[in-house]
Amino acid sequence: MLDATTRSGGTATATPPAAATELALTAPAVAVPTSVGFAARCSRVLLSPWSRLSLLVALLMAAGAAVLLFEPQRLLADGWPPQLGGAAAAVVFAGAYGLCAVAFVPRPLLNLAAGALFGTQLGIGAALAGTVLGAGIAFALGRVLGQDALRPLLRGRLLQGADSQLSRHGFRSMLAIRLFPGVPFAAANYCAAVSRMGYVPFLLATALGSIPNTAAYVVAGARASTPTSPAFLIAMAAIAVPALVGAAVAWRKRHHLRSR
C-alpha cells in the first residue's frame, strides 16, 4: 500500500521496517563502567572462605602478640587498678578475662587472679562470666571466618566422627569436654565453631561445664595466702584428681587406639 506522499504524486516514501532495525542496531551502546565489575571481583575475593580464614589467623596472631607485649599475668603481682572496686571491678575483669581467653592466655592463671583479686564468691562469678564471654567470642569468630574454609577439610574418620558428635549432640558433647580437664579451652571453642553445633547450646554447656574447674582454681587463688587451710587443700585436690583421671583415661584410649 502506498503512503500519503506517494498517492499525492510526491517522491518520498515511508522508511522500510528492515532499515529501521539496522539503524537501531548501529546506534552507539551505553558503556558499562569497568569499576563496577572490578569492585564486585574484589568483594568476592575478600569475602571468600580462605580470605576470611586468613583474617582469623591474622587476628589470633595479633592477639597472641598483644599478650606477649602487655603481659596480663602481671595482675597477680601488681593487683587491680585502685580506682575500681567491688562489682564494677569484677565486671571490668570479666571483660578483660574474655579477651585474654580469646588471646590464648591460660584460664588457670586468669582463675587464680580472679580469686586473688575478688575472693571466692565474686571471683567465681567474674571468672565464669569471662569464660562464657571468651568462648562466645571465639565461637563467633570461628563460625563467621573459619567454618566455610575448614569444613571441606574434615575428611579423616576421626575428624568426621568428632564433627558428627558435636553437630548431633552438641550440648552433652560440649558439657563433657568442659568437664574433662585435658581438652584445651581454645581448641574446643574453634572445633565447635567449625561443626554445625548451635550457639545457645554451646554457651549453656560452657557455662555449666566450667563451674567445677573454675571454682577450684578461684578458691585456690583466694586462699593462696593460707596454703594449709582446708579450703585450699580441697581446692587443690579438686584440681589434681580430675587431671590425673583425665590423664589416665587419655593414656588408656591411646593404647586402645594403637592396638586397633
Side-chain angles (χ1 to χ4, degrees):
M1 182 181 293
L2 299 176
D3 60 5
T5 307
T6 304
R7 287 197 302 269
S8 62
T11 59
T13 57
T15 303
T21 304
E22 292 179 358
L23 291 175
L25 291 175
T26 57
V30 179
V32 178
T34 58
S35 59
V36 176
F38 179 74
R41 289 194 296 270
C42 290
S43 63
R44 284 197 298 268
V45 171
L46 292 176
L47 296 177
S48 65
W50 286 104
S51 295
R52 284 180 285 157
L53 180 61
S54 300
L55 177 60
L56 175 61
V57 173
L59 289 175
L60 295 180
M61 292 178 63
V67 168
L68 295 177
L69 180 63
F70 294 105
E71 298 180 357
Q73 63 271 19
R74 289 183 300 178
L75 280 174
L76 287 175
D78 301 339
W80 198 248
Q83 60 270 22
L84 293 176
V91 170
V92 175
F93 179 85
Y97 186 117
L99 296 177
C100 289
V102 175
F104 307 109
V105 176
R107 284 186 61 248
L109 181 66
L110 297 172
N111 293 332
L112 290 172
L117 294 173
F118 304 108
T120 299
Q121 295 181 355
L122 194 58
I124 292 175
L128 284 176
T131 298
V132 175
L133 177 62
I137 294 174
F139 185 90
L141 289 175
R143 178 62 55 89
V144 174
L145 299 178
Q147 186 187 46
D148 292 339
L150 294 177
R151 280 201 65 81
L153 302 179
L154 302 177
R155 297 177 181 177
R157 181 182 299 179
L158 183 61
L159 293 177
Q160 289 181 350
D163 174 67
S164 176
Q165 185 69 21
L166 287 172
S167 300
R168 295 180 180 179
H169 311 288
F171 176 80
R172 70 184 187 187
S173 298
M174 184 53 57
L175 183 64
I177 289 173
R178 297 306 189 194
L179 291 172
F180 190 77
V183 180
F185 182 72
N189 294 335
Y190 292 110
C191 288
V194 174
S195 72
R196 302 189 187 279
M197 182 180 182
Y199 197 78
V200 174
F202 171 78
L203 292 180
L204 288 177
T206 298
L208 294 176
S210 300
I211 290 175
N213 185 263
T214 301
Y217 275 100
V218 171
V219 171
R223 300 302 179 94
S225 59
T226 56
T228 58
S229 63
F232 181 84
L233 296 177
I234 293 173
M236 293 304 297
I239 295 171
V241 171
L244 293 175
V245 172
V249 171
W251 183 264
R252 183 177 179 182
K253 291 291 185 181
R254 174 175 171 270
H255 281 280
H256 180 67
L257 292 174
R258 178 176 295 179
S259 63
R260 292 181 60 182

